[in-house]
Amino acid sequence: MVGIDGSTVPLPYGKEPVGDFGHFETGTENNGKVVPARISRAYDVLNGIGIDARIEHYRTGELSLCERHLPCPGPSDLLIVDRAYAAFWPMAALHHQKKSFSIRVKANRWKPTRQFPSSKKNEQLIEVGPGVKIST
Protein backbone atom coordinates (compact mmCIF):
# COMPACT_ATOMS: atom_id res chain seq x y z
CA MET A 1 0.00 0.00 0.00
CA VAL A 2 1.49 3.33 -1.10
CA GLY A 3 0.34 6.76 0.01
CA ILE A 4 1.22 10.03 -1.69
CA ASP A 5 0.81 13.43 -0.08
CA GLY A 6 2.29 16.88 -0.29
CA SER A 7 2.59 20.02 1.76
CA THR A 8 4.57 23.24 2.04
CA VAL A 9 7.44 23.82 4.44
CA PRO A 10 9.47 26.90 5.32
CA LEU A 11 13.17 26.73 4.47
CA PRO A 12 15.88 28.65 6.30
CA TYR A 13 16.17 32.12 4.79
CA GLY A 14 19.44 32.56 2.92
CA LYS A 15 21.02 33.22 -0.45
CA GLU A 16 20.89 29.63 -1.76
CA PRO A 17 17.29 28.74 -0.81
CA VAL A 18 16.03 32.10 -2.11
CA GLY A 19 17.82 31.51 -5.42
CA ASP A 20 16.31 28.05 -5.86
CA PHE A 21 12.89 28.51 -4.31
CA GLY A 22 12.13 32.22 -4.35
CA HIS A 23 10.61 34.03 -1.40
CA PHE A 24 7.66 36.16 -0.49
CA GLU A 25 7.04 38.94 1.97
CA THR A 26 4.98 38.19 5.09
CA GLY A 27 5.67 41.15 7.29
CA THR A 28 6.60 38.91 10.22
CA GLU A 29 9.60 36.55 9.93
CA ASN A 30 13.15 37.33 8.73
CA ASN A 31 12.32 40.98 8.15
CA GLY A 32 9.17 39.84 6.37
CA LYS A 33 10.82 37.33 4.01
CA VAL A 34 9.93 33.64 3.93
CA VAL A 35 11.29 30.88 1.68
CA PRO A 36 8.54 28.27 1.28
CA ALA A 37 8.95 25.01 -0.60
CA ARG A 38 6.49 22.39 -1.83
CA ILE A 39 7.26 18.88 -0.65
CA SER A 40 5.75 15.59 -1.73
CA ARG A 41 6.38 12.02 -0.70
CA ALA A 42 5.41 8.52 -1.79
CA TYR A 43 5.29 6.34 1.29
CA ASP A 44 5.07 2.58 1.88
CA VAL A 45 2.24 2.74 4.40
CA LEU A 46 2.51 -0.85 5.64
CA ASN A 47 6.27 -0.80 6.25
CA GLY A 48 6.59 2.85 7.28
CA ILE A 49 9.23 3.60 4.64
CA GLY A 50 9.54 6.60 2.34
CA ILE A 51 9.87 5.47 -1.28
CA ASP A 52 10.29 8.77 -3.10
CA ALA A 53 10.44 12.39 -1.99
CA ARG A 54 10.47 15.68 -3.89
CA ILE A 55 11.08 19.28 -2.96
CA GLU A 56 10.27 22.05 -5.43
CA HIS A 57 9.38 25.71 -5.72
CA TYR A 58 6.29 26.47 -3.62
CA ARG A 59 4.28 27.33 -6.74
CA THR A 60 4.65 23.74 -8.00
CA GLY A 61 1.29 22.01 -7.62
CA GLU A 62 0.73 18.81 -5.68
CA LEU A 63 -0.66 17.13 -8.80
CA SER A 64 2.51 17.94 -10.71
CA LEU A 65 4.63 16.35 -8.00
CA CYS A 66 2.23 13.41 -7.77
CA GLU A 67 2.89 12.67 -11.44
CA ARG A 68 6.55 12.06 -10.63
CA HIS A 69 5.56 9.54 -7.93
CA LEU A 70 3.24 7.47 -10.15
CA PRO A 71 5.94 4.90 -11.05
CA CYS A 72 6.40 4.11 -7.31
CA PRO A 73 3.44 1.79 -6.67
CA GLY A 74 4.13 -1.72 -7.88
CA PRO A 75 1.64 -3.93 -9.73
CA SER A 76 0.24 -5.42 -6.50
CA ASP A 77 0.14 -2.14 -4.54
CA LEU A 78 -2.90 -0.04 -3.76
CA LEU A 79 -2.22 3.69 -4.10
CA ILE A 80 -4.05 5.90 -1.60
CA VAL A 81 -4.25 9.68 -2.02
CA ASP A 82 -6.40 12.45 -0.60
CA ARG A 83 -8.94 14.73 -2.25
CA ALA A 84 -6.29 17.12 -3.60
CA TYR A 85 -5.59 14.46 -6.24
CA ALA A 86 -9.21 13.92 -7.37
CA ALA A 87 -8.70 14.93 -11.00
CA PHE A 88 -9.22 13.07 -14.25
CA TRP A 89 -5.63 12.93 -15.52
CA PRO A 90 -4.04 11.14 -12.51
CA MET A 91 -6.91 8.63 -12.55
CA ALA A 92 -6.46 8.12 -16.29
CA ALA A 93 -2.68 7.73 -15.91
CA LEU A 94 -3.09 5.16 -13.13
CA HIS A 95 -5.77 3.29 -15.07
CA HIS A 96 -3.52 3.24 -18.15
CA GLN A 97 -0.68 1.87 -16.01
CA LYS A 98 -3.07 -0.80 -14.66
CA LYS A 99 -2.51 0.35 -11.07
CA SER A 100 -5.07 0.05 -8.28
CA PHE A 101 -5.91 3.27 -6.49
CA SER A 102 -8.28 4.87 -4.02
CA ILE A 103 -8.80 8.64 -4.10
CA ARG A 104 -10.82 10.35 -1.43
CA VAL A 105 -13.29 12.75 -3.01
CA LYS A 106 -14.99 15.74 -1.44
CA ALA A 107 -18.70 15.03 -0.99
CA ASN A 108 -19.74 17.95 -3.19
CA ARG A 109 -17.09 17.38 -5.90
CA TRP A 110 -19.28 15.65 -8.49
CA LYS A 111 -22.99 14.95 -8.83
CA PRO A 112 -22.64 11.22 -7.98
CA THR A 113 -20.69 12.05 -4.81
CA ARG A 114 -23.32 14.62 -3.78
CA GLN A 115 -26.10 12.04 -4.26
CA PHE A 116 -24.32 9.09 -2.65
CA PRO A 117 -25.04 9.83 1.06
CA SER A 118 -28.81 9.84 0.49
CA SER A 119 -28.69 6.71 -1.73
CA LYS A 120 -28.34 4.36 1.28
CA LYS A 121 -25.79 2.34 -0.74
CA ASN A 122 -22.63 0.92 0.80
CA GLU A 123 -20.60 1.45 -2.35
CA GLN A 124 -20.94 2.77 -5.87
CA LEU A 125 -18.77 2.61 -8.96
CA ILE A 126 -18.72 5.71 -11.16
CA GLU A 127 -16.93 6.45 -14.41
CA VAL A 128 -14.98 9.67 -14.51
CA GLY A 129 -14.38 11.27 -17.90
CA PRO A 130 -12.25 14.19 -19.08
CA GLY A 131 -15.21 16.58 -19.33
CA VAL A 132 -17.72 18.06 -16.94
CA LYS A 133 -20.17 15.15 -17.18
CA ILE A 134 -19.74 11.99 -15.15
CA SER A 135 -21.79 8.90 -15.93
CA THR A 136 -23.08 6.62 -13.17
Side-chain angles (χ1 to χ4, degrees), residues 10-70:
L11 299 177
Y13 188 82
K15 186 177 179 180
E16 288 180 18
V18 170
D20 292 338
F21 295 96
H23 74 279
F24 65 90
E25 309 283 329
T26 66
T28 56
E29 302 174 38
N30 296 316
N31 296 320
K33 297 176 183 173
V34 175
V35 181
R38 174 80 61 194
I39 58 170
S40 183
R41 177 168 78 156
Y43 192 77
D44 179 331
V45 176
L46 299 176
N47 294 305
I49 300 169
I51 300 170
D52 190 35
R54 307 289 171 150
I55 183 167
E56 297 285 340
H57 192 280
Y58 76 95
R59 288 194 177 127
T60 306
E62 282 187 82
L63 281 173
S64 176
L65 289 172
C66 174
E67 182 177 21
R68 298 179 202 164
H69 296 308
L70 293 185

Side-chain angles (χ1 to χ4, degrees), residues 111-113 115 121 124-127 134-136:
K111 186 176 180 180
T113 59
Q115 295 172 338
K121 296 178 183 177
Q124 180 178 351
L125 181 64
I126 63 169
E127 269 187 47
I134 298 174
S135 61
T136 58

